[in-house]
Amino acid sequence: MAVWKNDEEMFELMKSRLYTPVVGDILDQMGYTHQFLPAEIRPLAALAPVRIFGNSEEPDNRIKLAGYACTVLENDVYGMPEKPFGYLTEALDQLRPNEVYIATGAHNSALWGELLTTTAKVRGAAGAVVDGYTRDTPQVLDINWPVFARACWAQDSSVRTYVYDYRCTIEIGQVTIHDGDLVFGDIDGVLIIPKEVAEEVLEKALLKAAGEKKVRKAIESGMSATEAFATFGIL
């Protein structure tokens, strides 16, 4: 039985007690060996670390995300399409709380920016992951909301990018992503947890994370790495 009562508790546990390496290890053990998005997709706050909050007491919500995938498929266009941006506004306006806007398919312009961040945050979404570029970097960082991307690039999407579909199956790198899968990201990357095994993966990851703390304490107390692995089966 899950140790969380609802989605909010589940996602809070993921962000407070888990990290992508331990979840990735569990996925590997269960046979899901292609769940990490490309290594270049990182938190915007890590891509542009010089921007800091004026109020140092404000928690930094920009470097970790957990939520359900809302998949978005885009493509490159050349010149102003009949419907500018395609179905971008429709995809944004139907976002639900605890969802992560995750997009791929277009690479000739920025796929994310300040006003999209504002819209998604107001709707209660948990973050955005784009297989491409983001812009309006200082403004997005100031919103204090998790955006993950490959890099920052200001080139506008209106004459270059078209949202073709959403809540459809997409692929990013080696990962097939279905709408409703779990998205988990931190400073070490972004991974996808298939929805049909999400509860089992998270329960095993919580146990492994607790075990790793025991191993660290044992090593700090003088136990060798060889003995620690033989004792705990964790390294």
Side-chain angles (χ1 to χ4, degrees):
M1 180 178 293
V3 297
W4 54 87
K5 297 177 182 177
N6 50 47
D7 285 351
E8 285 68 26
E9 287 190 6
M10 178 181 70
F11 292 129
E12 184 55 38
L13 275 173
M14 291 174 68
K15 290 186 286 186
S16 63
R17 292 173 53 184
L18 294 179
Y19 34 97
T20 56
V22 73
V23 178
D25 291 352
I26 295 300
L27 285 163
D28 282 347
Q29 292 171 15
M30 293 175 60
Y32 295 87
T33 56
H34 299 286
Q35 299 306 125
F36 271 99
L37 303 190
E40 295 79 10
I41 299 177
R42 307 192 61 217
L44 177 59
L47 295 171
V50 295
R51 186 76 177 187
I52 60 174
F53 289 122
N55 178 4
S56 60
E57 296 181 356
E58 185 173 0
D60 193 339
N61 298 318
R62 304 168 299 180
I63 58 174
K64 207 162 191 179
L65 67 79
Y68 293 113
C70 175
T71 52
V72 179
L73 182 62
E74 309 201 24
N75 56 23
D76 293 321
V77 296
Y78 303 90
M80 182 65 73
E82 183 176 339
K83 180 177 171 57
F85 301 105
Y87 296 97
L88 173 61
T89 58
E90 289 86 347
L92 286 169
D93 288 341
Q94 56 82 59
L95 278 171
R96 298 190 287 258
N98 294 321
E99 288 191 325
V100 175
Y101 182 105
I102 181 165
T104 189
H107 304 286
N108 286 337
S109 65
L111 304 182
W112 198 259
E114 178 187 7
L115 298 183
L116 279 66
T117 301
T118 302
T119 301
K121 183 177 181 180
V122 166
R123 293 198 58 79
V129 176
V130 293
D131 179 24
Y133 310 108
T134 182
R135 67 179 202 166
D136 305 325
T137 303
Q139 296 91 333
V140 171
L141 289 175
D142 280 343
I143 292 172
N144 192 20
W145 191 80
V147 173
F148 285 57
R150 286 182 178 266
C152 307
W153 192 28
Q155 183 149 274
D156 185 43
S157 63
S158 62
V159 297
R160 301 177 179 90
T161 301
Y162 190 95
V163 173
Y164 175 77
D165 200 3
Y166 53 90
R167 299 203 180 279
C168 55
T169 300
I170 62 174
E171 289 186 353
I172 299 179
Q174 61 182 349
V175 191
T176 299
I177 308 166
H178 302 282
D179 192 67
D181 285 343
L182 262 63
V183 184
F184 186 42
D186 60 19
I187 195 68
D188 284 323
V190 181
L191 57 76
I192 304 299
I193 307 171
K195 52 190 170 186
E196 62 270 16
V197 295
E199 183 173 318
E200 182 181 359
V201 169
L202 295 180
E203 289 176 343
K204 289 181 175 179
L206 287 166
L207 288 173
K208 187 174 192 296
E212 288 189 352
K213 290 183 179 180
K214 292 179 181 179
V215 173
R216 178 174 173 175
K217 288 182 179 179
I219 291 174
E220 289 173 340
S221 298
M223 184 179 285
S224 70
T226 301
E227 184 182 356
F229 183 64
T231 302
F232 299 100
I234 297 174
L235 189 61

